[in-house]
């Protein structure tokens, strides 16, 4: 493992399981000090402790990304405790995200948009100035394949993730002059605990999704973490404003 994030301070939202936890571990193994922002204290502290046992540096900061003040606090801890902020993986999202337009109401819509889009707005609002003040860096927002294609069974979620892609591109244009890169990951099927639970509870539906996957499999969490780490490193200085598919070719067929 290289040290390409050596001396960098990064935050990850939704960092207690799945892609977020995998990224936190990978970034720490590459030399970063990682601040894990999430709601689940027990899992957050366990993830930070696991990183410490492996010789890395991590701190869990209780954070509900739908609450602006808590996101601001997460960034403030990075700056005050560790001297700055150089990168972020805005990964938090999901929840009750499925539902065709005819089946959802305003409260459902607001909840999905808050968790999956407004949370990224909060994060960027506080991360970008801190990264600029630290001399520049990189932000990666976790979107989804439904950030670039439609899904008739996930109207609110698709709208939110399309919003993440648009917000990413606009913020990248705004922040480029200040030395901050901003990109989005267009992730497909990933072997997270959520996917594993879905395959057990809905095996036929999971099989149908895999049949549409050119590679015939879901990505491992470590594959997403490795790519996000690359984008946060100094090895990707000319990549910004991009919605980068890491989906096993799924969107290539649309």
């Amino acid at each position: 493992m290289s040290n390409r994030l050596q001396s960098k301070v990064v935050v990850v939202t939704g960092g207690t399981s799945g892609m977020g936890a995998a990224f936190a571990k990978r970034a720490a193994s590459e030399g970063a000090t990682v601040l894990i922002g999430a709601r689940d204290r027990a899992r957050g502290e366990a993830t930070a402790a696991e990183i410490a046992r492996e010789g890395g540096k991590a701190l869990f900061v209780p954070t509900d990304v739908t609450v602006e003040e808590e996101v601001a606090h997460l960034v403030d801890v990075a700056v005050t405790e560790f001297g700055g902020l150089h990168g972020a993986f805005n990964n938090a999202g999901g929840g009750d995200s499925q539902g065709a337009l005819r089946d959802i109401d305003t409260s459902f819509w607001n909840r999905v948009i808050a968790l999956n889009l407004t949370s990224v707005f909060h994060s960027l609002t506080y991360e970008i100035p801190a990264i600029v003040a630290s001399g520049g860096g990189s932000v990666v927002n976790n979107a989804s394949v439904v950030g670039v294609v439609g899904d008739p069974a996930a109207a609110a979620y698709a709208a939110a993730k399309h919003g993440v892609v648009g917000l990413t591109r606009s913020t990248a244009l705004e922040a480029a002059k200040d030395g901050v890169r901003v990109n989005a990951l267009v992730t497909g099927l990933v072997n997270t605990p959520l996917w594993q639970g879905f395959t057990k509870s809905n095996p036929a539906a999971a099989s149908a999704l895999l049949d549409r996957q050119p590679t015939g499999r879901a990505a491992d969490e470590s594959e997403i973490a490795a790519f996000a780490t690359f984008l946060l490193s100094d090895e990707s200085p000319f990549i910004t404003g991009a919605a980068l598919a890491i989906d096993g070719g799924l969107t290539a067929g649309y």
Side-chain angles (χ1 to χ4, degrees):
M1 198 70 69
S2 71
N3 288 315
R4 57 185 172 181
L5 296 185
Q6 189 67 40
S7 302
K8 295 185 184 294
V9 179
V10 303
V11 301
V12 52
T13 64
T16 56
S17 66
M19 290 177 277
F23 168 79
K25 296 170 187 176
R26 178 60 183 258
S29 74
E30 298 260 15
T33 297
V34 182
L35 287 90
I36 301 167
R39 290 178 292 188
D40 192 322
R41 179 181 291 273
R43 288 199 297 182
E45 291 180 345
T47 302
E50 181 180 349
I51 290 171
R53 285 194 298 271
E54 295 296 321
K57 298 179 181 178
L59 176 68
F60 171 68
V61 181
T63 309
D64 182 340
V65 292
T66 67
V67 179
E68 181 177 357
E69 293 78 9
E70 295 192 18
V71 176
H73 176 67
L74 172 63
V75 174
D76 185 63
V77 171
V79 173
T80 58
E81 295 294 325
F82 300 103
L85 182 66
H86 308 98
F89 182 33
N90 297 321
N91 169 72
D96 297 329
S97 57
Q98 304 306 306
L101 185 65
R102 65 179 179 273
D103 298 325
I104 64 177
D105 57 22
T106 300
S107 63
F108 180 95
W109 170 272
N110 288 340
R111 184 167 66 251
V112 172
I113 295 298
L115 179 58
N116 292 285
L117 177 57
T118 307
S119 64
V120 180
F121 164 71
H122 291 328
S123 297
L124 292 170
T125 296
Y126 292 96
E127 291 162 356
I128 298 295
I131 294 173
V132 171
S134 301
S138 175
V139 177
V140 175
N141 299 320
N142 199 0
S144 165
V145 292
V146 295
V148 295
V149 301
D151 186 334
Y157 187 65
K161 291 301 186 179
H162 271 72
V164 169
V165 171
L167 181 59
T168 295
R169 288 173 169 155
S170 297
T171 306
L173 294 173
E174 181 181 343
K177 66 182 183 302
D178 295 316
V180 182
R181 296 180 293 108
V182 188
N183 293 289
L185 297 185
V186 177
T187 50
L189 301 179
V190 183
N191 191 25
T192 64
L194 285 175
W195 170 251
Q196 294 163 12
F198 180 73
T199 60
K200 291 178 181 178
S201 61
N202 299 278
S207 179
L209 287 172
L210 285 172
D211 286 342
R212 295 171 55 193
Q213 182 71 43
T215 58
R217 68 174 180 89
D220 189 81
E221 299 164 340
S222 64
E223 295 173 285
I224 309 300
F227 192 45
T229 301
F230 164 71
L231 290 173
L232 262 66
S233 78
D234 296 335
E235 296 179 5
S236 56
F238 208 58
I239 304 176
T240 194
L244 298 160
I246 181 166
D247 65 354
L250 183 61
T251 54
Y254 281 84

